[in-house]
Amino acid sequence: MPLSSITKHRAKQCTAKSKRTGLPCKNPAAYECRACRMHGARKAESIKRGEQHPNFVHGNRTLEAQAEQSATSRRLQQIEDAMHLLGMTTAKRSRGRKANGYCKINLVNEVKKVLEDC
Ligand SMILES: [Zn+2]
């Protein structure tokens, strides 16, 4: 049974749900928030992001930095494909997971596209 502030005074109810039962939380939501104090009530302006966040160290792991690293890795893997396709090297192929968005180069026409992007 929700608290009387919800039933009688039309206070907003917390939007969190229980992991075990799936039932919604019965506490009233905190002022100007969607969740109650037990489920992480935070005002949007009090949430710190980027360099203001207390765990920010150097910025190498931000979403933008990771996307740039992934693009660079993808470009290098495609250049490696091009080198093998054109017979420029006999070295072993690099191992491991390929970058996001990587697609193997099998045709000489695709090599031209890769070289134009560089
Ligand atoms: Zn709650």
Short mmCIF file of all heavy atoms in Angstrom, two decimals, residues 65-101:
data_model
loop_
_atom_site.label_atom_id
_atom_site.label_comp_id
_atom_site.label_asym_id
_atom_site.label_seq_id
_atom_site.Cartn_x
_atom_site.Cartn_y
_atom_site.Cartn_z
N ALA A 65 36.82 10.17 -27.15
CA ALA A 65 38.17 9.63 -27.29
C ALA A 65 38.12 8.17 -27.71
O ALA A 65 38.92 7.72 -28.56
CB ALA A 65 38.94 9.78 -25.98
N GLN A 66 37.19 7.39 -27.15
CA GLN A 66 37.07 5.98 -27.52
C GLN A 66 36.63 5.83 -28.97
O GLN A 66 37.12 4.95 -29.68
CB GLN A 66 36.09 5.28 -26.59
CG GLN A 66 36.64 5.05 -25.21
CD GLN A 66 35.64 4.39 -24.30
OE1 GLN A 66 34.44 4.47 -24.50
NE2 GLN A 66 36.14 3.73 -23.27
N ALA A 67 35.73 6.69 -29.44
CA ALA A 67 35.29 6.62 -30.84
C ALA A 67 36.44 6.95 -31.77
O ALA A 67 36.59 6.31 -32.83
CB ALA A 67 34.13 7.59 -31.05
N GLU A 68 37.27 7.91 -31.40
CA GLU A 68 38.42 8.28 -32.23
C GLU A 68 39.43 7.13 -32.28
O GLU A 68 39.96 6.81 -33.35
CB GLU A 68 39.06 9.54 -31.66
CG GLU A 68 40.17 10.09 -32.53
CD GLU A 68 40.73 11.39 -31.95
OE1 GLU A 68 39.97 12.15 -31.36
OE2 GLU A 68 41.94 11.59 -32.09
N GLN A 69 39.69 6.49 -31.13
CA GLN A 69 40.61 5.35 -31.09
C GLN A 69 40.09 4.19 -31.92
O GLN A 69 40.84 3.51 -32.63
CB GLN A 69 40.84 4.90 -29.66
CG GLN A 69 41.65 5.89 -28.84
CD GLN A 69 41.63 5.56 -27.36
OE1 GLN A 69 40.99 4.61 -26.94
NE2 GLN A 69 42.33 6.36 -26.58
N SER A 70 38.78 3.96 -31.86
CA SER A 70 38.18 2.87 -32.64
C SER A 70 38.30 3.15 -34.13
O SER A 70 38.60 2.24 -34.91
CB SER A 70 36.72 2.72 -32.23
OG SER A 70 36.13 1.67 -32.95
N ALA A 71 38.08 4.40 -34.53
CA ALA A 71 38.19 4.76 -35.95
C ALA A 71 39.63 4.59 -36.44
O ALA A 71 39.86 4.09 -37.55
CB ALA A 71 37.73 6.20 -36.16
N THR A 72 40.60 4.98 -35.62
CA THR A 72 42.00 4.83 -35.99
C THR A 72 42.36 3.35 -36.12
O THR A 72 43.03 2.94 -37.08
CB THR A 72 42.90 5.50 -34.93
OG1 THR A 72 42.52 6.86 -34.82
CG2 THR A 72 44.35 5.41 -35.32
N SER A 73 41.91 2.54 -35.17
CA SER A 73 42.18 1.10 -35.22
C SER A 73 41.55 0.47 -36.45
O SER A 73 42.17 -0.36 -37.13
CB SER A 73 41.64 0.45 -33.94
OG SER A 73 41.85 -0.92 -33.97
N ARG A 74 40.32 0.86 -36.77
CA ARG A 74 39.64 0.33 -37.95
C ARG A 74 40.41 0.69 -39.22
O ARG A 74 40.61 -0.14 -40.10
CB ARG A 74 38.22 0.88 -37.98
CG ARG A 74 37.40 0.41 -39.15
CD ARG A 74 35.96 0.91 -39.09
NE ARG A 74 35.88 2.35 -39.00
CZ ARG A 74 35.34 3.03 -37.99
NH1 ARG A 74 34.83 2.38 -36.97
NH2 ARG A 74 35.28 4.34 -38.00
N ARG A 75 40.89 1.93 -39.29
CA ARG A 75 41.64 2.39 -40.45
C ARG A 75 42.95 1.58 -40.60
O ARG A 75 43.30 1.15 -41.69
CB ARG A 75 41.95 3.87 -40.31
CG ARG A 75 42.34 4.54 -41.60
CD ARG A 75 42.47 6.04 -41.45
NE ARG A 75 41.28 6.64 -40.87
CZ ARG A 75 41.29 7.52 -39.85
NH1 ARG A 75 42.41 7.89 -39.31
NH2 ARG A 75 40.17 8.02 -39.38
N LEU A 76 43.64 1.33 -39.50
CA LEU A 76 44.88 0.55 -39.56
C LEU A 76 44.62 -0.88 -40.01
O LEU A 76 45.39 -1.45 -40.79
CB LEU A 76 45.57 0.55 -38.19
CG LEU A 76 46.31 1.83 -37.82
CD1 LEU A 76 46.79 1.76 -36.39
CD2 LEU A 76 47.47 2.05 -38.76
N GLN A 77 43.55 -1.48 -39.53
CA GLN A 77 43.22 -2.85 -39.92
C GLN A 77 42.87 -2.93 -41.41
O GLN A 77 43.22 -3.89 -42.09
CB GLN A 77 42.07 -3.38 -39.07
CG GLN A 77 42.50 -3.64 -37.64
CD GLN A 77 41.34 -3.78 -36.69
OE1 GLN A 77 40.19 -3.58 -37.06
NE2 GLN A 77 41.64 -4.11 -35.44
N GLN A 78 42.21 -1.90 -41.91
CA GLN A 78 41.88 -1.89 -43.33
C GLN A 78 43.13 -1.66 -44.19
O GLN A 78 43.25 -2.23 -45.27
CB GLN A 78 40.81 -0.84 -43.61
CG GLN A 78 39.46 -1.26 -43.06
CD GLN A 78 38.39 -0.23 -43.30
OE1 GLN A 78 38.66 0.95 -43.38
NE2 GLN A 78 37.15 -0.70 -43.40
N ILE A 79 44.06 -0.87 -43.70
CA ILE A 79 45.33 -0.68 -44.41
C ILE A 79 46.11 -2.00 -44.45
O ILE A 79 46.70 -2.37 -45.46
CB ILE A 79 46.15 0.45 -43.76
CG1 ILE A 79 45.48 1.79 -44.05
CG2 ILE A 79 47.59 0.45 -44.27
CD1 ILE A 79 46.08 2.95 -43.30
N GLU A 80 46.05 -2.74 -43.34
CA GLU A 80 46.69 -4.06 -43.30
C GLU A 80 46.05 -4.99 -44.32
O GLU A 80 46.77 -5.71 -45.05
CB GLU A 80 46.59 -4.66 -41.90
CG GLU A 80 47.24 -6.02 -41.78
CD GLU A 80 47.01 -6.64 -40.42
OE1 GLU A 80 46.88 -5.90 -39.43
OE2 GLU A 80 46.95 -7.88 -40.36
N ASP A 81 44.73 -4.96 -44.42
CA ASP A 81 44.04 -5.76 -45.44
C ASP A 81 44.51 -5.37 -46.84
O ASP A 81 44.76 -6.24 -47.68
CB ASP A 81 42.53 -5.54 -45.35
CG ASP A 81 41.91 -6.25 -44.18
OD1 ASP A 81 42.57 -7.13 -43.60
OD2 ASP A 81 40.74 -5.94 -43.86
N ALA A 82 44.62 -4.07 -47.06
CA ALA A 82 45.04 -3.59 -48.38
C ALA A 82 46.45 -4.06 -48.70
O ALA A 82 46.72 -4.46 -49.84
CB ALA A 82 44.96 -2.06 -48.40
N MET A 83 47.35 -4.00 -47.70
CA MET A 83 48.73 -4.45 -47.94
C MET A 83 48.77 -5.92 -48.30
O MET A 83 49.52 -6.33 -49.20
CB MET A 83 49.58 -4.17 -46.70
CG MET A 83 49.87 -2.70 -46.48
SD MET A 83 50.79 -2.39 -44.99
CE MET A 83 52.37 -3.12 -45.39
N HIS A 84 47.98 -6.74 -47.63
CA HIS A 84 47.96 -8.18 -47.96
C HIS A 84 47.34 -8.41 -49.32
O HIS A 84 47.80 -9.27 -50.09
CB HIS A 84 47.21 -8.95 -46.87
CG HIS A 84 48.03 -9.23 -45.66
ND1 HIS A 84 48.91 -10.28 -45.59
CD2 HIS A 84 48.13 -8.58 -44.49
CE1 HIS A 84 49.52 -10.28 -44.43
NE2 HIS A 84 49.06 -9.25 -43.73
N LEU A 85 46.31 -7.65 -49.63
CA LEU A 85 45.63 -7.82 -50.92
C LEU A 85 46.54 -7.43 -52.08
O LEU A 85 46.55 -8.10 -53.12
CB LEU A 85 44.36 -6.96 -50.95
CG LEU A 85 43.47 -7.12 -52.18
CD1 LEU A 85 42.88 -8.54 -52.20
CD2 LEU A 85 42.37 -6.09 -52.16
N LEU A 86 47.35 -6.40 -51.89
CA LEU A 86 48.24 -5.93 -52.96
C LEU A 86 49.58 -6.65 -52.96
O LEU A 86 50.43 -6.36 -53.80
CB LEU A 86 48.46 -4.42 -52.81
CG LEU A 86 47.20 -3.56 -52.93
CD1 LEU A 86 47.51 -2.12 -52.63
CD2 LEU A 86 46.58 -3.72 -54.31
N GLY A 87 49.79 -7.57 -52.00
CA GLY A 87 51.03 -8.34 -51.97
C GLY A 87 52.22 -7.55 -51.46
O GLY A 87 53.36 -7.87 -51.80
N MET A 88 51.98 -6.54 -50.67
CA MET A 88 53.07 -5.70 -50.17
C MET A 88 53.75 -6.30 -48.95
O MET A 88 54.81 -5.84 -48.54
CB MET A 88 52.53 -4.31 -49.82
CG MET A 88 52.00 -3.57 -51.02
SD MET A 88 51.14 -2.06 -50.57
CE MET A 88 52.48 -1.05 -50.04
N THR A 89 53.14 -7.30 -48.33
CA THR A 89 53.72 -7.91 -47.14
C THR A 89 53.34 -9.38 -47.07
O THR A 89 52.32 -9.79 -47.64
CB THR A 89 53.25 -7.18 -45.86
OG1 THR A 89 53.86 -7.77 -44.74
CG2 THR A 89 51.74 -7.26 -45.70
N THR A 90 54.18 -10.13 -46.38
CA THR A 90 53.86 -11.54 -46.12
C THR A 90 53.78 -11.78 -44.61
O THR A 90 53.78 -12.92 -44.17
CB THR A 90 54.93 -12.45 -46.73
OG1 THR A 90 56.20 -12.08 -46.20
CG2 THR A 90 54.93 -12.35 -48.25
N ALA A 91 53.73 -10.71 -43.84
CA ALA A 91 53.68 -10.85 -42.38
C ALA A 91 52.37 -11.50 -41.95
O ALA A 91 51.39 -11.51 -42.71
CB ALA A 91 53.82 -9.48 -41.73
N LYS A 92 52.36 -12.04 -40.73
CA LYS A 92 51.15 -12.65 -40.20
C LYS A 92 50.10 -11.58 -39.97
O LYS A 92 50.43 -10.43 -39.70
CB LYS A 92 51.45 -13.35 -38.88
CG LYS A 92 52.22 -14.63 -39.02
CD LYS A 92 52.34 -15.29 -37.67
CE LYS A 92 53.04 -16.61 -37.76
NZ LYS A 92 53.16 -17.25 -36.45
N ARG A 93 48.86 -11.99 -40.08
CA ARG A 93 47.76 -11.07 -39.83
C ARG A 93 47.70 -10.77 -38.34
O ARG A 93 48.03 -11.62 -37.51
CB ARG A 93 46.42 -11.69 -40.27
CG ARG A 93 46.38 -12.09 -41.73
CD ARG A 93 46.62 -10.92 -42.65
NE ARG A 93 45.70 -9.84 -42.41
CZ ARG A 93 44.66 -9.56 -43.19
NH1 ARG A 93 44.45 -10.26 -44.27
NH2 ARG A 93 43.86 -8.57 -42.91
N SER A 94 47.28 -9.57 -38.01
CA SER A 94 47.15 -9.21 -36.60
C SER A 94 45.99 -10.00 -36.00
O SER A 94 45.00 -10.29 -36.65
CB SER A 94 46.91 -7.71 -36.45
OG SER A 94 45.74 -7.34 -37.11
N ARG A 95 46.17 -10.34 -34.73
CA ARG A 95 45.19 -11.17 -34.05
C ARG A 95 44.25 -10.29 -33.23
O ARG A 95 44.48 -9.12 -33.05
CB ARG A 95 45.90 -12.16 -33.13
CG ARG A 95 46.77 -13.11 -33.90
CD ARG A 95 47.65 -13.92 -32.99
NE ARG A 95 46.98 -14.35 -31.77
CZ ARG A 95 47.56 -15.02 -30.80
NH1 ARG A 95 48.82 -15.33 -30.90
NH2 ARG A 95 46.90 -15.36 -29.73
N GLY A 96 43.21 -10.93 -32.71
CA GLY A 96 42.34 -10.26 -31.76
C GLY A 96 41.08 -9.68 -32.36
O GLY A 96 40.81 -9.81 -33.55
N ARG A 97 40.34 -9.04 -31.49
CA ARG A 97 39.06 -8.47 -31.88
C ARG A 97 39.29 -7.31 -32.84
O ARG A 97 40.21 -6.53 -32.67
CB ARG A 97 38.31 -7.97 -30.63
CG ARG A 97 36.93 -7.47 -30.89
CD ARG A 97 36.34 -6.92 -29.62
NE ARG A 97 36.96 -5.67 -29.20
CZ ARG A 97 36.64 -4.48 -29.69
NH1 ARG A 97 35.71 -4.39 -30.62
NH2 ARG A 97 37.23 -3.41 -29.24
N LYS A 98 38.43 -7.21 -33.84
CA LYS A 98 38.52 -6.11 -34.78
C LYS A 98 37.71 -4.92 -34.25
O LYS A 98 36.81 -5.08 -33.44
CB LYS A 98 37.97 -6.54 -36.15
CG LYS A 98 38.69 -7.75 -36.73
CD LYS A 98 40.18 -7.51 -36.90
CE LYS A 98 40.87 -8.73 -37.44
NZ LYS A 98 42.27 -8.76 -37.14
N ALA A 99 38.04 -3.75 -34.72
CA ALA A 99 37.37 -2.54 -34.25
C ALA A 99 35.91 -2.52 -34.69
O ALA A 99 35.53 -3.19 -35.65
CB ALA A 99 38.08 -1.31 -34.79
N ASN A 100 35.12 -1.73 -34.00
CA ASN A 100 33.70 -1.58 -34.36
C ASN A 100 33.60 -0.96 -35.75
O ASN A 100 34.31 -0.02 -36.07
CB ASN A 100 32.99 -0.69 -33.35
CG ASN A 100 32.86 -1.35 -32.01
OD1 ASN A 100 32.91 -2.56 -31.90
ND2 ASN A 100 32.70 -0.54 -30.98
N GLY A 101 32.73 -1.53 -36.57
CA GLY A 101 32.52 -0.99 -37.91
C GLY A 101 33.52 -1.50 -38.93
O GLY A 101 33.49 -1.08 -40.08
#
